[in-house]
Amino acid sequence: MAMLIKGGEIVTADARMRADILIESETIREIGRNLAAPPGAEVIDAAGKLVFPGFIDPHVHIYLPFMDTFARDTHETASKAALAGGTTTFIEMVCPNRNEDALEGYYLWKRKAEGASACDYAFHMAVTHYDADTEAQLRQIVADGTASFKIFLAYKNFFGVTDEEMYRTLKLAASLGVIVTAHCENAELVGQLQQMLLAEGKTGAEWHEPSRPESVEAEGTGRFATFLEATGATGYVVHLSCAPALRAAVEAKLRGVKISVESVLPHFLLDKTYAEREGVEGMKYVMSPPLRHERNQAALWTALEAGFIDTVGTDHCPFDIEQKLLGASAFTQIPNGIPGIEDRVNLMYTYGVRRGRLSLHRFVDALSTRPAKLFGLYPRKGTIAAGADADIVVYDPEYRGTISALNQYTSNDYNGFEGWAIEGRPAVVTVRGKVQVRDGRFVGEPGRGRMLRRSTQHVEAPEALYAC
Ligand code: URP
Ligand code: ZN
Ligand code: ZN
């Protein structure tokens, strides 16, 4: 069935106009003023609303065996949460651990998502070891349409790779034209600092941040950049949290390293005092890299607006209170992760755009267009243009509400942003031309989502600061 979205203010990464959008057969057919609705078309009145391209979360964990437990969401719950918050595509990390077979892991993750996700999705393939089979397996995975890798410099002996494994992964990625995303913390230093703190009787969640200080993340970021430079690979730093790591990444960009930067929702809005709260209240806020001293937030916002931080993801990773309590006697056992897939768009709009820290175009760019470009989804996703998938967010900037775990879709018994005010919310969200959300509630088809296959020739080198 056709659909006409009428009278809204269309905002993309680089344009703004009042116009109608005609949708036919899952894609945008035409954009223009005073378009006529074809017979039988559904008409959506977007007067007074902002009309954005569907938002893309480039970093989520849904199925995740980690720290002796499993993240709480299913693809059904996480995708409903994503859609309710305006995210129409997510990219999930496929994370077998270093003792598991990469290809088996890849097909396991695919099976988990298939027929269960209400929105479209893609994967980053984690490379957690590199042995005689790895190259052939990764070639097969790339040929299947998963054209981005993930490496962890942290989590020694579990997800973490050695420098040699990082080098081999980057060499292969460079030859295939595949972008490599990286969690950048020095695993050895984290392990040593954890043992030292525990030996001193420092066992609470407040010691998580001191066990992974800013310098440890800056070292990982700088080392990743050095390896990118040596191999010619294209890289993407995930969840960058602090000014010293930002300096390392920007310094690398300036000297021509093909490196992009993602920061995630919690690091813009929450600081380490949240993890210093008493008991399980602090444990809720344990993630890695950790929540930082609040002085870092101004640096992140400034770098985001300037484009030195390319994208905003969530690192969505829900563990419930019972799971967080696994770390009651040692912070090293607290499952790492903070959920956010449902709230990223509304919180970045409220505390970024409405507070004057982020322009509306950069907001669309960082939360939709740049992820689409970097990960080979553009222009099918990430913009509003004729021929693009009809993933549209009709956004109500007049909505006023409060975040609460009581009405979230994310499968968890708390929300790290409980009680936070939001000033804006999706009124209508479409996935390939079908309404999946109205007024913040899921009204659609649970299994509608499709896996997005990406080809390597679409991988975009980060926009250059090379000339600087
Ligand atoms: O704390 C986090 N970030 N949990 C998920 C795993 C990861 O490092 O991305
Ligand atoms: Zn990570
Ligand atoms: Zn992550």
Side-chain angles (χ1 to χ4, degrees), residues 59 61 64 66 150 152 155 183 239 287-288 315 317 336-337:
H59 182 169
H61 302 274
L64 184 68
F66 185 40
K150 167 77 181 284
F152 293 88
Y155 309 129
H183 175 138
H239 52 38
M287 68 174 292
S288 297
D315 199 7
C317 192
N336 286 200

Side-chain angles (χ1 to χ4, degrees), residues 4-300:
L4 186 67
I5 300 178
K6 242 193 136 29
E9 181 90 6
I10 299 172
V11 184
T12 66
D14 50 20
R16 184 169 180 158
M17 70 189 122
R18 190 173 304 282
D20 307 335
I21 302 172
L22 178 63
I23 296 166
E24 273 177 14
S25 309
E26 303 199 347
T27 55
I28 298 172
R29 170 79 186 271
E30 193 180 347
I31 300 166
R33 293 196 179 228
N34 303 318
L35 297 181
E42 176 175 0
V43 178
I44 292 174
D45 178 9
K49 308 285 194 293
L50 299 168
V51 181
F52 298 126
F55 293 97
I56 299 171
D57 192 335
H59 182 169
V60 307
H61 302 274
I62 298 172
Y63 174 66
L64 184 68
F66 185 40
M67 299 186 74
D68 296 328
T69 185
F70 293 83
R72 289 270 300 146
D73 265 321
T74 63
H75 288 80
E76 180 170 342
T77 58
S79 60
K80 286 180 177 172
L83 285 166
T87 292
T88 53
T89 298
F90 58 76
I91 312 183
E92 182 185 5
M93 304 288 174
V94 174
C95 292
N97 70 47
R98 63 182 284 117
N99 299 316
E100 291 172 335
D101 184 77
L103 210 50
E104 280 174 22
Y106 179 65
Y107 287 112
L108 170 65
W109 257 261
K110 273 183 66 169
R111 281 197 303 277
K112 294 269 177 198
E114 208 171 328
S117 179
C119 64
D120 288 350
Y121 58 93
F123 296 109
H124 300 298
M125 181 67 211
V127 182
T128 53
H129 64 264
Y130 205 108
D131 61 23
D133 298 329
T134 303
E135 177 173 341
Q137 293 189 327
L138 292 176
R139 284 182 182 276
Q140 196 174 326
I141 288 164
V142 170
D144 191 51
T146 290
S148 49
F149 299 156
K150 167 77 181 284
I151 54 173
F152 293 88
L153 278 59
Y155 309 129
K156 191 177 174 183
N157 298 330
F158 192 70
F159 293 142
V161 286
T162 63
D163 281 358
E164 183 188 346
E165 289 168 327
M166 165 159 62
Y167 180 80
R168 296 180 72 183
T169 305
L170 294 178
K171 283 294 274 187
L172 178 65
S175 74
L176 293 173
V178 162
I179 188 167
V180 180
T181 71
H183 175 138
C184 298
E185 289 180 297
N186 185 309
E188 187 59 43
L189 282 172
V190 171
Q192 296 294 341
L193 290 171
Q194 286 177 331
Q195 293 321 310
M196 185 190 83
L197 290 163
L198 291 178
E200 291 170 0
K202 294 170 175 167
T203 58
E206 70 274 26
W207 296 105
H208 177 69
E209 199 277 343
S211 76
R212 327 171 78 97
E214 294 174 11
S215 56
V216 160
E217 186 185 345
E219 189 282 336
T221 308
R223 182 157 39 99
F224 178 53
T226 303
F227 275 64
L228 290 174
E229 198 169 16
T231 57
T234 300
Y236 175 96
V237 178
V238 298
H239 52 38
L240 182 140
S241 73
C242 61
L246 179 62
R247 271 195 290 277
V250 171
E251 206 278 327
K253 280 190 190 226
L254 291 174
R255 67 176 194 270
V257 179
K258 293 178 282 182
I259 188 168
S260 300
V261 176
E262 165 201 277
S263 292
V264 294
L265 177 67
H267 291 125
F268 286 99
L269 297 178
L270 306 171
D271 62 55
K272 71 189 182 101
T273 62
Y274 285 82
E276 291 165 358
R277 292 177 174 181
E278 213 42 54
V280 78
E281 287 310 309
M283 296 179 198
K284 290 177 182 176
Y285 294 97
V286 167
M287 68 174 292
S288 297
L291 299 179
R292 298 297 189 190
H293 190 286
E294 71 167 338
R295 66 173 167 263
N296 289 287
Q297 289 174 7
L300 296 189

Side-chain angles (χ1 to χ4, degrees), residues 265 268-270 274 297 301-302 304-305 343-359 363 367 395 400-403 417-424:
L265 177 67
F268 286 99
L269 297 178
L270 306 171
Y274 285 82
Q297 289 174 7
W301 283 110
T302 304
L304 176 63
E305 177 61 11
D343 303 311
R344 176 185 65 138
V345 171
N346 293 334
L347 285 170
M348 292 304 289
Y349 180 78
T350 304
Y351 296 96
V353 177
R354 286 193 53 86
R355 297 292 179 274
R357 293 156 157 161
L358 188 59
S359 75
F363 164 74
L367 277 71
Y395 199 77
R400 297 292 176 269
T402 306
I403 291 176
F417 297 96
E418 185 74 32
W420 283 56
I422 49 168
E423 299 167 13

